């Protein structure tokens, strides 16, 4: 499926749709072609032309859609890859839709990359793809994400192993590129969308039924693990079935970590040789989440003919995530499994599909978010969310480790970096992360406050992103004491709460601001905390640069992290009580 964004004329908003090539009405495609032709963006007269000239008024680019038809014909004798004309038209249609949201130069390079990969791999033939990926020269690796996008859009009946291989090399490129851009400031929008996704997953988990839970369980487990431990998507999907253990009141999770880093000459293509087990401490909540998932899906392992193809294999699966459960919940079984060999393994392709379905079915249709493509160049609006990839939580997890007082040397080990220097750039993104973390925590606090008062959420309004609430019977707060700026409704006669909050009424849960109290003081305090946060974050970045020379690094590091968390928590509480 392809996320399609189109700007609406005369307005600073967009319409967003999700489409697959089989669902396309070609009358709509021709209308879109003619629209770009009328604007002198496409200079051709006919959609059927094999070479298009595309202009952005600064430059004219020629896009050649002529694919190697001889190789296509040969390949089609061995596998069902559809019609040549359909493939050509799907690439043209892909480009047309991309013109609505991306720069011409970018689309030009994407089109070249897709065409190049299709031809060099004999239309994503597994053997040819492996040969290409094993070569040192991969000039289009940065566009592999767009290749995956196209393969989602047009069904070439590709072996899912091919999807895994392309995804693996793209993720490796992303990690390498991120490590080599120490000074790059990650955009605020990157974290905003990840935090919004996390909020939505948590809210949805509380209201969805058992069938919906089963469908999105891999998403929930992925979120809970990969936002805490920076895993590659492949590593997550290889989580073994017997991954958890309990030792007294302690809980542990075993994960697979790759041994293949950089240009490794000896690759066995065997999980037991290319990966190693890595055990981490987890909380009881994650332990129970995994146990509950197993309880729901384990019975599929012993069902014969599960795929309705005389498929007799039964027995306990090797990995945690159940492909059979995924297949059972799949919305379109025929198109996905047509003429393909079923592999009893849940992989990156399946996870990406579940994430995309969650975006459409839940974020867009239930929570009224406007789903937009990644990196569209515009400021993210409160009612919008970017479509993220499974790899995006890796960066989130690194900064999560920083804010949990994990020192650079340990982050290096967890990240499998060659040196501490490779982890430094993550500290440049702490400011953006903390800002999003504070706002997200404030929203959660505000929600809990309203629930305690008997106010429940019924839907989200996508245009102002305010919650619509239904007010239930609210308890009357009869007993109170007058305090500076408002009232104290603490039912206790003692002062324990006052001592806990250092006599600071503004952050006390029993304080109710007077309607006559000026909000200006609260906003000034929030802004003051923001300034202090900026100072502490600068100090953290400077301290980390001096890591190898600092004598009291651990102590100083812990003090700064605690100050950052304290200030962020204060602002979250103030925002939840007085602003939201």
């Amino acid at each position: 499926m392809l996320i399609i964004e189109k700007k609406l004329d005369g307005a600073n908003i967009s319409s967003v749709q999700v489409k697959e090539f089989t669902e396309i009405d070609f009358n709509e495609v021709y209308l879109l072609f003619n629209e770009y032709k009328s604007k002198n963006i496409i200079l051709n007269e006919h959609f059927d032309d094999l070479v298009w000239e595309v202009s952005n008024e600064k430059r004219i680019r020629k896009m050649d859609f002529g694919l190697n038809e001889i190789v296509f014909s040969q390949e089609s004798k061995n596998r069902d890859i559809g019609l040549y004309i359909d493939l050509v038209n799907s690439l043209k249609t892909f480009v047309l839709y991309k013109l609505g949201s991306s720069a011409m130069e970018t689309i030009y390079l994407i089109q070249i990359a897709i065409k190049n990969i299709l031809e060099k791999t004999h239309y994503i033939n597994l053997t040819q793809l492996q040969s290409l990926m094993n070569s040192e020269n991969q000039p289009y690796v940065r566009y592999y994400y767009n290749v995956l996008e196209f393969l989602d859009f047009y069904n070439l009946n590709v072996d899912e192993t091919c999807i895994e291989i392309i995804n693996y090399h793209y993720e490796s490129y992303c990690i390498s590129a991120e490590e080599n851009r120490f000074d790059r400031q990650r955009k605020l929008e990157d974290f905003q969308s990840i935090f919004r996704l996390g909020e939505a997953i948590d809210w949805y988990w509380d209201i969805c039924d058992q069938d919906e839970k089963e469908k999105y369980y891999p998403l929930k487990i992925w979120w809970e693990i990969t936002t805490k431990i920076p895993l590659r998507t492949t590593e997550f999907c290889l989580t073994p079935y017997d991954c958890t253990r309990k030792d007294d009141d302690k809980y542990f999770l075993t994960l697979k970590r790759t041994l293949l880093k950089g240009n490794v000459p000896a690759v066995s293509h065997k999980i037991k040789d290319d990966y190693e087990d890595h055990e981490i401490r987890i909380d009881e909540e994650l332990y129970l989440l995994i146990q509950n998932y197993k309880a729901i899906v384990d019975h599929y392992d012993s069902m014969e003919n599960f795929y309705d193809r005389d498929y007799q294999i039964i027995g306990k699966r090797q990995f945690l995530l159940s492909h059979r459960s995924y297949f059972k919940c799949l919305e379109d079984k025929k198109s996905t499994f047509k003429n393909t060999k079923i592999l009893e393994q849940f992989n990156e392709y399946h996870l990406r599909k579940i994430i995309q379905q969650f975006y459409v079915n839940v974020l867009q249709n239930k929570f009224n978010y406007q789903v937009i493509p990644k990196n569209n160049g515009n400021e993210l609006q409160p009612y919008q969310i970017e479509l993220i990839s499974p790899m995006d939580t890796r960066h989130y997890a690194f900064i999560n480790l920083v804010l949990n007082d994990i020192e650079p040397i340990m982050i290096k080990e967890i990240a499998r970096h060659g040196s501490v220097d490779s982890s430094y750039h993550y500290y440049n993104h702490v400011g953006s992360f903390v800002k999003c973390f504070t706002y997200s925590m404030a929203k959660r606090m505000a929600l809990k406050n309203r629930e305690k008062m008997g106010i429940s959420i019924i839907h989200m309004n996508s245009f102002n992103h305010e919650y619509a609430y239904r007010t239930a019977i609210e308890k009357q707060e009869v007993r109170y004491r007058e305090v500076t700026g408002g009232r104290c409704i603490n039912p206790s006669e003692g002062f324990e709460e006052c001592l806990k909050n250092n006599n600071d009424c503004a952050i006390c849960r029993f304080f109710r601001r007077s309607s006559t109290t000026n909000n200006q003081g609260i906003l000034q305090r929030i802004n003051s905390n923001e300034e202090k946060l900026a100072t502490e974050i600068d100090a953290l970045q400077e301290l980390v640069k001096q890591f190898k020379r600092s004598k009291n690094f651990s102590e100083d590091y812990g003090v700064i992290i605690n100050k950052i968390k304290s200030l962020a928590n204060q602002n979250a509480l103030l925002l939840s009580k007085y602003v939201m």
Side-chain angles (χ1 to χ4, degrees):
M1 62 179 65
L2 177 67
I3 300 290
I4 299 167
E5 181 185 23
K6 183 179 179 182
K7 301 287 184 184
L8 299 181
D9 291 337
N12 190 27
I13 59 175
S14 305
S15 63
V16 179
Q17 296 175 300
V18 181
K19 294 196 175 187
E20 293 184 1
F21 184 71
T22 54
E23 302 170 346
I24 297 294
D25 178 356
F26 259 86
N27 289 324
E28 176 188 323
V29 174
Y30 295 142
L31 285 173
L32 192 57
F33 176 87
N34 289 329
E35 179 184 337
Y36 287 125
K37 185 174 75 171
S38 69
K39 295 177 180 178
N40 291 322
I41 295 172
I42 295 177
L43 306 181
N44 295 65
E45 283 296 318
H46 306 291
F47 174 87
D48 293 334
D49 293 342
L50 272 182
V51 180
W52 287 0
E53 290 189 343
V54 184
S55 169
N56 62 359
E57 295 186 338
K58 294 176 287 186
R59 187 168 192 167
I60 295 176
R61 287 290 194 182
K62 289 187 176 182
M63 295 190 185
D64 186 353
F65 296 96
L67 297 162
N68 191 321
E69 192 168 3
I70 295 174
V71 174
F72 185 92
S73 298
Q74 292 171 343
E75 192 65 27
S76 64
K77 294 175 182 177
N78 302 318
R79 39 190 274 257
D80 181 7
I81 55 176
L83 300 175
Y84 174 80
I85 189 63
D86 283 347
L87 180 59
V88 171
N89 285 341
S90 69
L91 186 53
K92 291 179 179 179
T93 304
F94 185 86
V95 166
L96 278 176
Y97 284 132
K98 281 292 183 183
L99 280 170
S101 59
S102 301
M104 185 200 77
E105 289 295 321
T106 301
I107 297 168
Y108 170 71
L109 293 171
I110 290 172
Q111 187 265 344
I112 291 176
I114 294 173
K115 180 181 176 182
N116 186 278
I117 297 299
L118 288 174
E119 292 185 330
K120 284 192 174 182
T121 63
H122 292 194
Y123 303 96
I124 319 297
N125 173 291
L126 178 57
T127 303
Q128 298 296 327
L129 179 68
Q130 287 174 325
S131 176
L132 175 65
M133 295 300 170
N134 288 334
S135 67
E136 292 185 6
N137 184 24
Q138 295 186 43
Y140 300 110
V141 62
R142 66 181 296 182
Y143 299 108
Y144 284 179
Y145 176 81
N146 304 106
V147 173
L148 292 170
E149 258 192 321
F150 177 74
L151 294 176
D152 271 345
F153 176 62
Y154 181 76
N155 183 14
L156 258 179
N157 285 321
V158 172
D159 189 312
E160 289 177 3
T161 304
C162 296
I163 302 296
E164 292 180 46
I165 292 171
I166 298 171
N167 192 69
Y168 176 83
H169 282 269
Y170 176 69
E171 288 187 353
S172 298
Y173 162 77
C174 289
I175 293 170
S176 175
E178 191 68 52
E179 290 173 358
N180 291 329
R181 288 198 292 265
F182 295 153
D183 297 326
R184 175 183 178 268
Q185 185 70 25
R186 195 171 182 86
K187 291 190 314 195
L188 187 65
E189 288 83 354
D190 296 345
F191 290 123
Q192 285 176 327
S193 289
I194 295 174
F195 273 100
R196 287 173 190 176
L197 175 61
E199 293 162 8
I201 291 172
D202 289 345
W203 293 333
Y204 183 68
W205 209 248
D206 290 336
I207 62 172
C208 65
D209 60 32
Q210 195 67 16
D211 288 339
E212 291 172 315
K213 266 192 170 67
E214 178 179 350
K215 179 176 182 177
Y216 294 116
Y217 241 113
L219 172 75
K220 176 69 171 173
I221 295 173
W222 163 77
W223 175 262
E224 296 298 335
I225 292 177
T226 63
T227 55
K228 298 176 178 68
I229 304 297
L231 297 177
R232 293 172 180 261
T233 314
T234 311
E235 292 172 331
F236 167 72
C237 292
L238 291 177
T239 301
Y241 178 84
D242 295 316
C243 59
T244 55
R245 70 178 179 91
K246 180 180 178 182
D247 186 359
D248 294 328
D249 293 330
K250 298 176 182 177
Y251 302 91
F252 299 89
L253 173 68
T254 297
L255 299 165
K256 294 287 185 185
R257 303 305 303 270
T258 183
L259 297 172
L260 309 178
K261 294 174 289 183
N263 295 320
V264 181
V267 181
S268 71
H269 302 290
K270 300 292 183 184
I271 293 172
K272 66 181 180 63
D273 297 325
D274 293 340
Y275 293 83
E276 66 180 1
D277 289 344
H278 180 75
E279 189 175 68
I280 61 168
R281 178 91 175 265
I282 58 173
D283 56 28
E284 183 182 17
E285 186 177 357
L286 178 54
Y287 174 84
L288 293 176
L289 182 75
I290 292 173
Q291 300 308 115
N292 291 339
Y293 173 68
K294 288 182 177 181
I296 292 172
V297 306
D298 278 2
H299 68 284
Y300 298 132
D301 294 351
S302 59
M303 294 174 62
E304 294 184 353
N305 301 317
F306 184 83
Y307 298 101
D308 195 27
R309 293 186 178 187
D310 297 322
Y311 195 82
Q312 301 292 340
I313 297 176
I314 59 173
K316 191 175 82 170
R317 63 191 182 276
Q318 183 180 357
F319 304 103
L320 171 64
L321 301 175
S322 169
H323 181 278
R324 295 190 175 202
S325 171
Y326 168 81
F327 181 82
K328 178 225 172 193
C329 299
L330 199 62
E331 295 174 0
D332 184 7
K333 295 180 174 60
K334 292 182 179 179
S335 66
T336 302
F337 288 95
K338 181 182 178 183
N339 297 319
T340 61
K341 181 181 178 181
I342 291 173
L343 178 67
E344 286 265 10
Q345 185 176 333
F346 184 98
N347 58 37
E348 301 96 316
Y349 173 79
H350 305 129
L351 180 61
R352 288 175 61 244
K353 280 288 186 185
I354 291 175
I355 292 173
Q356 289 171 350
Q357 288 172 2
F358 187 81
Y359 265 78
V360 175
N361 298 336
V362 178
L363 294 178
Q364 182 173 280
N365 296 345
K366 291 183 183 293
F367 288 172
N368 295 323
Y369 271 111
Q370 183 190 53
V371 180
I372 63 172
K374 206 173 169 186
N375 300 324
N376 73 338
N378 297 322
E379 181 180 350
L380 197 69
Q381 298 301 313
Y383 54 83
Q384 293 177 327
I385 186 168
E386 287 185 337
L387 177 64
I388 72 169
S389 71
M391 189 65 180
D392 287 332
T393 52
R394 179 179 167 88
H395 199 98
Y396 178 107
F398 276 120
I399 305 188
N400 213 1
L401 291 173
V402 170
L403 294 176
N404 277 284
D405 207 7
I406 306 298
E407 296 184 15
I409 192 70
M410 184 59 67
I411 291 177
K412 177 190 86 73
E413 295 300 321
I414 294 172
R416 305 299 180 91
H417 288 153
S419 70
V420 173
D421 295 352
S422 299
S423 304
Y424 286 166
H425 68 290
Y426 291 112
Y427 293 87
N428 292 334
H429 313 145
V430 171
S432 296
F433 185 97
V434 168
K435 194 169 288 186
C436 294
F437 168 80
T438 302
Y439 188 70
S440 178
M441 187 162 57
K443 284 201 287 186
R444 292 173 186 266
M445 288 178 176
L447 176 61
K448 286 183 179 179
N449 290 339
R450 285 162 171 76
E451 286 177 346
K452 288 177 182 177
M453 295 169 63
I455 305 173
S456 58
I457 296 177
I458 54 174
H459 68 278
M460 288 185 184
N461 184 317
S462 64
F463 294 102
N464 59 22
H465 205 248
E466 294 293 329
Y467 297 112
Y469 296 105
R470 181 178 64 253
T471 305
I473 299 174
E474 296 184 25
K475 295 180 181 178
Q476 294 295 319
E477 297 168 352
V478 178
R479 297 183 58 186
Y480 62 85
R481 285 174 290 196
E482 295 286 351
V483 293
T484 303
R487 297 173 175 178
C488 174
I489 62 166
N490 188 351
S492 171
E493 296 293 335
F495 295 95
E496 292 84 358
E497 290 292 330
C498 301
L499 294 173
K500 282 182 187 177
N501 296 300
N502 198 27
N503 293 317
D504 189 347
C505 292
I507 63 173
C508 178
R509 62 193 176 111
F510 293 112
F511 179 67
R512 296 293 179 266
R513 180 173 57 88
S514 169
S515 58
T516 59
T517 301
N518 195 330
N519 236 7
Q520 193 62 33
I522 299 299
L523 295 176
Q524 286 176 351
R525 180 162 179 180
I526 291 172
N527 290 334
S528 174
N529 283 346
E530 286 286 344
E531 292 174 1
K532 292 176 183 176
L533 271 169
T535 300
E536 295 299 334
I537 290 168
D538 287 343
L540 176 67
Q541 292 169 354
E542 193 59 36
L543 177 66
V544 170
K545 289 178 183 177
Q546 306 299 322
F547 169 71
K548 296 176 181 177
R549 296 188 294 274
S550 177
K551 294 181 179 179
N552 300 312
F553 181 86
S554 294
E555 182 180 344
D556 294 341
Y557 187 85
V559 168
I560 294 174
I561 292 295
N562 285 333
K563 285 181 180 178
I564 290 173
K565 290 195 288 189
S566 176
L567 289 165
N569 289 336
Q570 283 184 36
N571 269 6
L573 184 58
L574 293 169
L575 283 166
S576 69
K577 290 181 68 174
Y578 304 115
V579 179
M580 295 187 169

